[in-house]
Amino acid sequence: MEVAGFLAAAAEIFGGSIPGFWPIVGLSLGVTLTAVALAALIGMPAGALLAVSRFPGRTILIVTINALMGLPPVVAGLLIFLLLSRSGPLGFFGWLFTPKAMILAQVVLVLPIVVALTRQTIEDLWREYAEHLASLDLTGIRAVPTLLWEARFSLLTGLLAGFGRASAEVGAVLIVGGNIVGHTRTMTTAIALETSKGDLPLALGLGAALLVLTLGLNILAFGVGRVGARNAG
Amino acid sequence: MHGPTSIMPLRVEGLSFEVNGRRLLTEVDLTLDRGGVVALVGPNGAGKSLFLRLCHGLLTPSAGAVRWGDGDGRRAGVKAHAMVFQKPVMLRRSVGANLTHALAAAGHGRAARRRRVEEALVRFRLDHLADRPARVLSGGEQQRLAIARAWALDVETLFLDEPTSQLDPAATRAIEETIVMLEGEGRTIVLATHDLAQARRLARRVLFVLGGRIHEDAPAAAFFTEPKTPEGIAFLAGDLLA
Amino acid sequence: MNHFTRRTLLAIACLVASPIGAEAQSPAPAATIVVASTTSTQDSGLFEYILPIFTKKTGIAVKVIAQGTGQALDTGRRGDADVVFVHAKAAEEKFLAEGFSEARRPVMYNDFVLVGPKSDPAGVAGGKDIAAALAAIVAKKAPFVSRGDKSGTHMAELALWKSAGIDLAAARADWYREIGQGMGATLNTASAMNGYALTDRGTWLGFKNRGDLVIAVEGDRRLFNQYGVMAVSAKKFPHVKTREAESFVNWLTGSEGQKAIADHKIGGEQLFFPNADQPGA
């Protein structure tokens, strides 16, 4: 790989002279942020509830969720594919090869991370807060909103981990999205495509762009966490 | 101050608590009337905190019962007693927001919350700290905030668990003034302390706890001048009690 | 639920709502059809050239899923595409016989080329006889990279071994590398290990990481590669957009589509040769 070729490709990409680059970035971010937000909406309350409740089978459930954090993306992709295929049980949605399918696949990938990290964080916090909240009659599900808000900065880290997994992922979105140009082509599937076309500088340039975006988001989240934590003590 | 209806008296009947077969509190029977400061004294591990938690409903008794005068210790469904812990939990938000949270949990509306928070901040001299993160306050300020939080809820009875054990003399004095103020408002204070001088300064009635039993239950003056039991005598003399 | 429960939920809801809005931004044209096609047509840039012409004329947007031929046919079999546009006649006729489409129409052909390293360990460079070249590769045990993914190119490759009289099952050994991936990945692999590979000319022309690879054998009639198009049967899948699908098929095989195909060039070279008018192709 020539450095010059890579630099030229990177300059072209960021200079906007490659048509369709920014839509790809927009779609990637849109899909992944939506997936992470949905996973947060479902996973954070679920994880918190799991942390503060006791029921038979709880340990098995926790171990299962922890294991699902390592679910191979292609497997997740395949399952969603079979579900959403016209011949599958959810085929009538007509979601296959649309951004909706990609969001669904990424939610499946991110949800276990969000649930597991939330559960861990809230359980630690719960040890400190339980008596005070019980004193205020906030027990069980009534304690969840307070605990989530108190853990907000730690949870942000968990969401970042989820974002990382979703945005870096190629197998699942390729299978369920179909890598359709202008419609379901994301940064990672575009990288896979350019690699297969042998255009390694362009693939690497796209990779660099993805890195820059991820880095930027992490810096942002880190800054928010830092400032927020200082202000909240 | 709460009109004719009161959650007091608090009747404790045959109250026992055990963990894994170990008895930590044994058959406590007593009645706490409305008003005044009642001090629970005794060495560490005597069962003082445990007693407060059982009364406050944080723990379920192994035997016996805690009965409030009005039935459930609530007014309009909201707990009318509060507890301030030895190490109070400070939420990761501002001093003002810590007060707001407690009021919201008790179901107060927005306007009532704002008014009550304002009053609490002024009364407990925390108004200059209102926007400060609660967790960076000094120990004394945190304890004051914790009491302010209970006061804001306008509870009738407060359980205070060693509120000054980790404070310097100046902060301790400030808390004691606060307790006198709360008593002056007609509230009932149940204060667990191992500081005999504090109990002497504040309490009207003293419960001497040792080994999970109430050994003496007497007016403060009587307990401090002529304790009835050998254990009481030894404790007041400062002798080590196992 | 109390006040701050509602407030927290509201905050999370706002957080969620913002990116969802961004997702629904692509404006929907009158209609959209899904075409399951092959990596070779996509990688050669054919669709990028001809589809805008079609969409402009008809208002029908076309979403292309680029897969191997076998996979593309399966996508049609599950009802996940409205049209399949692939290149493996026998497999297409099976699809037809199974009732997944009412009719197959020939569209165009391109050709395969055998590429290999400049050093030419099998001594086949410049030849016109693909069967002889394959026999030489077997004899020299020169590295050969196969798609191995049931794609049209893979099926064509297997047919070529057969027509050369080579029993691949018996002859294959370490020299025969089946990677189970697309055309581009196969060329990358061949380039990295200085092996031979069979590729369609379009992908080859568009491929940028050639290393030492050059064309070794081309021009043999047996290397011609016919593409066919089929609309997925509405009898099997009532949800397919038959009208739009038929419109696409008719345009592709009509004079305008045929001209667009002929006009698509890379570096001045025509990649696909329209032959919709040639019965039996």
Side-chain angles (χ1 to χ4, degrees):
Chain A
M1 163 66 42
E2 304 148 40
V3 178
F6 163 60
L7 288 179
E12 274 183 13
I13 287 166
F14 288 108
S17 67
I18 292 193
F21 171 72
W22 290 111
I24 287 176
V25 173
L27 180 74
S28 297
L29 277 179
V31 165
T32 302
L33 289 177
T34 307
V36 170
L38 286 173
L41 188 65
I42 304 164
M44 296 205 308
L49 204 55
L50 194 56
V52 300
S53 52
R54 299 290 178 271
F55 51 88
R58 178 176 178 269
T59 310
I60 295 170
L61 187 61
I62 289 173
V63 171
T64 309
I65 290 168
N66 286 350
L68 283 177
M69 285 202 283
L71 178 72
V74 253
V75 175
L78 184 62
L79 292 176
I80 303 291
F81 176 83
L82 292 174
L83 272 181
L84 292 183
S85 170
R86 287 287 182 177
S87 307
L90 302 181
F92 58 88
F93 283 154
W95 280 11
L96 194 64
F97 304 138
T98 69
K100 289 195 186 78
M102 302 200 289
I103 290 169
L104 185 61
Q106 293 196 345
V107 168
V108 168
L109 290 176
V110 173
L111 196 55
I113 296 181
V114 175
V115 173
L117 293 182
T118 303
R119 202 241 351 130
Q120 186 64 59
T121 306
I122 298 294
E123 210 166 301
D124 292 344
L125 205 62
W126 180 236
R127 270 190 266 283
E128 183 191 338
Y129 281 50
E131 281 202 318
H132 174 64
L133 295 183
S135 173
L136 295 171
D137 271 350
L138 299 177
T139 52
I141 195 168
R142 283 169 52 82
V144 164
T146 302
L147 289 168
L148 284 177
W149 183 249
E150 290 296 303
R152 57 200 180 278
F153 302 114
S154 313
L155 294 180
L156 192 62
T157 316
L159 289 187
L160 267 190
F163 179 86
R165 174 147 155 107
S167 68
E169 192 284 318
V170 60
V173 291
L174 191 60
I175 294 174
V176 304
N179 192 24
I180 300 166
V181 63
H183 191 69
T184 58
R185 181 163 301 169
T186 65
M187 306 204 59
T188 52
T189 59
I191 289 168
L193 179 68
E194 293 309 329
T195 305
S196 81
K197 281 170 158 178
D199 197 340
L200 303 190
L202 184 54
L204 205 54
L206 284 164
L210 184 58
L211 265 177
V212 167
L213 282 175
T214 308
L215 188 67
L217 205 82
N218 270 278
I219 290 172
L220 192 72
F222 186 79
V224 168
R226 222 20 192 311
V227 170
R230 197 169 52 227
N231 288 336
Chain B
M1 71 161 297
H2 291 115
T5 58
S6 170
I7 59 166
M8 301 303 274
L10 173 63
R11 285 196 190 82
V12 175
E13 298 164 0
L15 187 67
S16 296
F17 189 77
E18 53 185 64
V19 174
N20 301 329
R22 261 188 64 211
R23 282 228 144 166
L24 301 178
L25 203 69
T26 308
E27 288 173 21
V28 176
D29 284 285
L30 56 87
T31 301
L32 296 175
D33 289 318
R34 183 176 178 185
V37 177
V38 179
L40 262 83
V41 299
N44 287 331
K48 303 191 296 289
S49 302
L50 195 60
F51 179 73
L52 295 186
R53 283 176 164 78
L54 284 162
C55 289
H56 188 45
L58 293 180
L59 295 173
T60 310
S62 311
V66 172
R67 291 190 211 288
W68 295 92
D70 70 331
D72 61 358
R74 288 167 183 272
R75 286 199 307 263
V78 179
K79 234 187 225 175
H81 50 104
M83 181 156 173
V84 175
F85 298 91
Q86 186 171 6
K87 271 199 69 188
V89 171
M90 294 287 114
L91 301 183
R92 290 165 170 79
R93 36 188 120 182
S94 70
V95 169
N98 264 274
L99 294 167
T100 307
H101 175 267
L103 288 164
H108 291 274
R110 184 176 297 270
R113 289 204 298 259
R114 195 171 311 139
R115 198 186 61 240
R116 204 73 190 144
V117 167
E118 207 49 54
E119 283 173 20
L121 288 171
V122 171
R123 170 151 310 206
F124 289 83
R125 285 175 290 114
L126 291 165
D127 38 343
H128 62 296
L129 299 171
D131 298 323
R132 194 79 64 81
R135 296 171 82 92
V136 305
L137 300 183
S138 72
E141 289 164 342
Q142 292 199 354
Q143 201 58 259
R144 219 153 76 222
L145 173 55
I147 296 174
R149 209 153 53 182
W151 180 85
L153 296 172
D154 195 19
V155 292
E156 197 185 324
T157 303
L158 279 102
F159 298 102
L160 306 183
D161 189 3
E162 304 274 7
T164 60
S165 65
Q166 290 165 6
L167 304 184
D168 60 31
T172 300
R173 197 161 50 245
I175 297 296
E176 288 185 4
E177 282 167 11
T178 305
I179 293 172
V180 170
M181 181 194 88
L182 293 167
E183 187 192 13
E185 292 175 338
R187 300 177 207 279
T188 312
I189 319 292
V190 185
L191 169 74
T193 181
H194 62 261
D195 180 348
L196 281 174
Q198 183 170 67
R200 209 189 295 256
R201 282 194 294 273
L202 299 173
R204 191 189 65 181
R205 177 180 171 189
V206 170
L207 305 171
F208 170 52
V209 191
L210 179 69
R213 288 176 192 276
I214 306 281
H215 281 254
E216 301 207 23
D217 177 356
F223 175 73
F224 287 114
T225 49
E226 36 182 334
K228 298 265 177 340
T229 59
E231 291 88 351
I233 295 167
F235 181 64
L236 284 178
D239 291 352
L240 193 72
L241 290 165
Chain C
M1 284 283 130
N2 42 45
H3 293 272
F4 60 108
T5 309
R6 262 185 271 133
R7 219 169 34 174
T8 310
L9 290 178
L10 189 70
I12 297 176
C14 291
L15 185 78
V16 170
S18 42
I20 285 179
E23 183 259 316
Q25 67 198 179
S26 50
T32 302
I33 55 169
V34 173
V35 175
S37 188
T38 65
T39 47
S40 53
T41 36
Q42 157 137 327
D43 291 357
S44 65
L46 177 71
F47 287 127
E48 277 167 55
Y49 181 74
I50 66 167
L51 290 184
I53 303 174
F54 170 71
T55 303
K56 194 173 172 199
K57 179 176 156 79
T58 59
I60 299 169
V62 181
K63 298 198 292 186
V64 177
I65 320 284
Q67 301 170 319
T69 289
Q71 210 186 346
L73 288 169
D74 282 342
T75 299
R77 277 192 184 93
R78 271 190 305 270
D80 292 327
D82 302 296
V83 174
V84 290
F85 182 18
V86 295
H87 61 105
K89 198 174 171 185
E92 289 162 45
E93 277 165 353
K94 183 159 173 276
F95 187 86
L96 212 54
E98 290 163 351
F100 289 104
S101 173
E102 315 292 325
R104 170 190 177 275
R105 310 264 285 274
V107 179
M108 63 190 189
Y109 68 92
N110 68 345
D111 65 337
F112 291 118
V113 294
L114 182 73
V115 297
K118 279 194 198 93
S119 56
D120 194 24
V124 298
K128 287 248 182 271
D129 184 344
I130 186 66
L134 291 179
I137 286 169
V138 175
K140 294 270 171 41
K141 299 203 182 306
F144 183 94
V145 183
S146 167
R147 294 273 295 264
D149 62 352
K150 277 175 54 184
S151 61
T153 307
H154 183 219
M155 291 187 239
E157 177 212 316
L158 295 178
L160 287 172
W161 290 110
K162 208 169 175 183
S163 75
I166 295 160
D167 180 2
L168 193 60
R172 63 183 293 174
D174 191 40
W175 60 270
Y176 187 81
R177 309 278 167 85
E178 214 175 70
I179 67 166
Q181 296 187 64
M183 198 64 253
T186 304
L187 287 174
N188 275 331
T189 310
S191 167
M193 60 196 293
N194 273 332
Y196 292 90
L198 188 73
T199 170
D200 62 282
R201 192 185 289 274
T203 305
W204 172 249
L205 288 173
F207 188 73
K208 296 188 176 156
N209 183 38
R210 292 184 188 176
D212 275 343
L213 293 184
V214 291
I215 290 179
V217 176
E218 60 184 327
D220 190 320
R221 272 211 66 83
R222 285 169 290 190
L223 288 172
F224 284 8
N225 177 30
Q226 179 65 44
Y227 284 80
V229 69
M230 296 178 282
V232 174
S233 168
K235 283 182 195 148
K236 284 271 187 188
F237 301 104
H239 66 264
V240 299
K241 301 186 175 116
T242 307
R243 204 164 52 79
E244 290 83 1
E246 290 294 349
S247 157
F248 179 67
V249 168
N250 290 336
W251 180 83
L252 203 60
T253 52
S255 59
E256 273 182 55
Q258 295 281 293
K259 181 178 178 304
I261 290 169
D263 286 347
H264 174 55
K265 296 189 168 76
I266 292 183
E269 258 189 90
Q270 183 176 342
L271 297 180
F272 297 96
F273 300 88
N275 65 342
D277 51 356
Q278 187 187 324

